[in-house]
Amino acid sequence: MVRWWSVRLWGAHLLGLLCVSIAVGMGLWQYDAWQTRRAAERVDLTKSEPVPITEVIGSDDPFPTAGLGRPVEVRGTFLPAGTVLVADRPSDDGRSGSWLVTPLTVGDATAPAVPVVRGWVPDGTDPASLPAPPTGEVDVLGWLQPPEGTGKVDDDPNDDVLPELRIADLVQRVDQDLYGAYVVAEVPLPADAAAGVDHATLDQLPEASRFTALRNILYAIEWWVFAAFAAFIWFRYVRDATAEPDLEEADAEDAGDDAVPSKP
């Protein structure tokens, strides 16, 4: 009887392992390519041509799905009374810090405003040491983001540090209505940059199209199906090669060997 570890089956084992390993590896490679291309498209969507914020959302409109991560232009006047820090925002390199946020009117000084993330500062920064936003009309380029509101508790409602960028918390600090969105500035204002304020990163990126890199994920599935098929063929071959012969077949073979052909 042939055992599964018999030298006779080493070639089958080697071929089976090789086929399965190559197919699984190729599938993982295509899957990684699928993820990489989708991530790249999400970033590319944030690099599209900016449009005025009023073309994407109105002051009383709910946040539009197509507006997530959309580059927008905002021209207006900052409202210094609404300046806050939003805690627990890591930097690109993983340092702990906060966002510096000030509402900016969309239009004249009495128009509804949109919160603008002016930049990022490290933990321990004294809000009083940060530069005030510029006066007069300014232009800001940034990415549109939906308001937050996961229910985090503000341990000290009387300070200027918020746990989340909630519109309901900011609207109590200014006289204007606020948009149901906020904007992350692409680069800090010159005065902020001079004071050490770094750029903030996006918390939410737009979703890639469902058809992005579709071919890669289909190739990955195809390779994994081939790996499963190769493993099945390998298993069947080894099972058949090591199976004990049926007793009736063995008796018939023995009888055929013992039979003496009759003479004519």
Side-chain angles (χ1 to χ4, degrees), residues 84-251:
V84 295
L85 292 178
V86 180
D88 298 326
R89 304 293 160 152
S91 65
D92 284 339
D93 55 5
R95 291 177 295 159
S96 299
S98 303
W99 279 352
L100 174 61
V101 180
T102 304
L104 176 68
T105 63
V106 182
D108 60 49
T110 61
V114 61
V116 172
V117 180
R118 293 161 50 193
W120 177 91
V121 295
D123 277 347
T125 301
D126 182 3
S129 67
L130 296 172
T135 58
E137 285 195 340
V138 296
D139 292 306
V140 172
L141 293 178
W143 297 281
L144 198 64
Q145 296 279 274
E148 301 174 339
T150 61
K152 286 185 179 180
V153 177
D154 190 350
D155 296 330
D156 187 357
N158 297 318
D159 65 8
D160 292 327
V161 180
L162 304 179
E164 292 181 304
L165 209 165
R166 292 189 288 243
I167 303 301
D169 292 336
L170 289 174
V171 76
Q172 303 174 27
R173 299 169 179 264
V174 295
D175 296 330
Q176 279 93 330
D177 291 334
L178 294 181
Y179 277 65
Y182 67 92
V183 174
V184 178
E186 185 176 347
V187 294
L189 299 167
D192 291 338
V197 177
D198 201 353
H199 72 279
T201 57
L202 292 180
D203 269 3
Q204 302 181 61
L205 287 171
E207 291 296 329
S209 167
R210 69 180 63 183
F211 298 109
T212 298
L214 179 62
R215 182 180 299 179
N216 293 101
I217 191 64
L218 292 178
Y219 281 157
I221 295 172
E222 183 179 359
W223 277 112
W224 290 332
V225 169
F226 177 77
F229 179 72
F232 174 73
I233 295 299
W234 176 22
F235 168 76
R236 284 292 303 270
Y237 176 80
V238 173
R239 188 192 66 175
D240 292 345
T242 57
E244 293 184 4
D246 186 80
L247 294 179
E248 293 183 0
E249 293 180 0
D251 292 341

